Amino acid sequence: MQAISDFFTWLFNDRMGVVCLLLGGIVICLLVSFLMERKTKQRYFNHEKTEGDWDLFGDDES
């Protein structure tokens, strides 16, 4: 239990721990958004492209 307590103390009270916490949150958010974009693209693959549409992955068939 002491190791867990020490880890949380380092994570929230030390400057480097807070930086790791923020960077970890950014990486997790980027990973989730990337996976959600891929799933959306697979679900709506037959969406008719218009002039205002843009593609995150840039692999247009036209």
Side-chain angles (χ1 to χ4, degrees):
M1 271 331 252
Q2 184 64 30
I4 295 172
S5 176
D6 290 341
F7 173 72
F8 281 114
T9 300
W10 171 78
L11 191 62
F12 292 108
N13 291 333
D14 189 26
R15 183 181 302 253
M16 191 55 144
V18 173
V19 168
C20 289
L21 186 64
L22 289 174
L23 290 178
I26 290 171
V27 168
I28 288 172
C29 287
L30 287 174
L31 181 64
V32 167
S33 66
F34 179 76
L35 292 175
M36 289 177 69
E37 177 67 27
R38 297 281 295 191
K39 285 294 220 180
T40 302
K41 186 174 182 176
Q42 289 174 356
R43 179 173 289 169
Y44 300 109
F45 64 93
N46 60 352
H47 172 70
E48 192 69 34
K49 300 262 190 239
T50 61
E51 197 171 305
D53 286 347
W54 58 276
D55 190 9
L56 180 63
F57 301 107
D59 54 354
D60 289 334
E61 285 85 26
S62 57

